[in-house]
């Protein structure tokens, strides 16, 4: 009886893996298939953020793949499909968002941080040089230094 229970559990375990669905899309022409593959690898999954809709297993990515498939079958061009996705999900859905007022912070922000940081370093280094040149060495400081060096310190030398 134990053998039958173990065999049943093993069969159920392996059947779960067989339940995984593989999406198969059929196209009328080779151009439609190529367009679908290209869009699948150029559109970003809004949920996963760093995966394409072809690489992601999220439900949203599956829906997007299905919508791209439908629009490709209808004969829509690549630009029409991309514009449709941008209208619904914003520029984030593309890996190369265009330069707009809204995305200018993303494009120019790192440059501004580097320029401001470099400017701050230059200003502070010039200020430190001015402070160093303002302090002049006078004879009184020289005498104090010699007195300190000549003074015998009981803790250092015996």
């Amino acid at each position: 009886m134990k053998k039958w229970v173990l065999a049943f559990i093993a069969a159920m375990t392996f059947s779960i893996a067989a339940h995984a669905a593989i999406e198969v899309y059929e196209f009328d022409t080779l151009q439609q298939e190529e367009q679908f593959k290209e869009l699948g690898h150029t559109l970003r999954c809004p949920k996963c953020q760093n995966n394409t809709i072809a690489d992601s297993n999220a439900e949203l990515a599956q829906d997007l793949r299905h919508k791209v498939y439908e629009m490709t079958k209808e004969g829509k061009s690549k630009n029409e499909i991309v514009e449709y996705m941008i209208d619904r999900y914003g520029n984030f859905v593309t890996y190369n968002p265009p330069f707009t007022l809204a995305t200018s912070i993303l494009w120019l922000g790192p440059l501004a941080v580097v320029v401001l940081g470099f400017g701050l370093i230059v200003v502070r280094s010039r200020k430190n040089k001015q402070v160093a040149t303002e302090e002049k060495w006078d004879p009184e400081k020289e005498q104090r230094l010699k007195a300190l060096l000549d003074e015998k310190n009981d803790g250092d030398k015996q």
Side-chain angles (χ1 to χ4, degrees), residues 132-156:
T133 56
E134 288 176 3
E135 290 184 10
K136 295 191 176 184
W137 198 254
D138 58 356
E140 180 183 323
K141 289 182 181 179
E142 184 73 28
Q143 288 176 356
R144 285 180 47 210
L145 178 63
K146 284 183 181 179
L148 286 172
L149 291 174
D150 290 340
E151 182 180 295
K152 288 189 177 181
N153 190 345
D154 292 334
D156 291 336

Side-chain angles (χ1 to χ4, degrees), residues 39 43 77-87 94:
L39 286 170
L43 294 174
S77 70
K78 178 183 172 187
N79 289 337
E80 289 175 326
I81 296 171
V82 170
E83 286 178 20
Y84 174 86
M85 294 297 173
I86 289 174
D87 289 343
T94 61

Side-chain angles (χ1 to χ4, degrees), residues 17-61:
H19 182 63
I22 297 174
E23 295 173 342
V24 177
Y25 297 104
E26 294 183 18
F27 297 94
D28 299 331
T29 64
L30 183 62
Q31 288 82 12
Q32 287 181 343
E33 184 176 354
E34 289 174 359
Q35 177 179 319
F36 177 77
K37 287 180 182 178
E38 184 180 348
L39 286 170
H41 291 292
T42 57
L43 294 174
R44 183 188 317 211
C45 174
K47 184 176 181 181
C48 303
Q49 298 183 358
N50 249 357
N51 288 343
T52 62
I53 61 172
D55 295 335
S56 176
N57 288 329
E59 287 185 39
L60 180 59

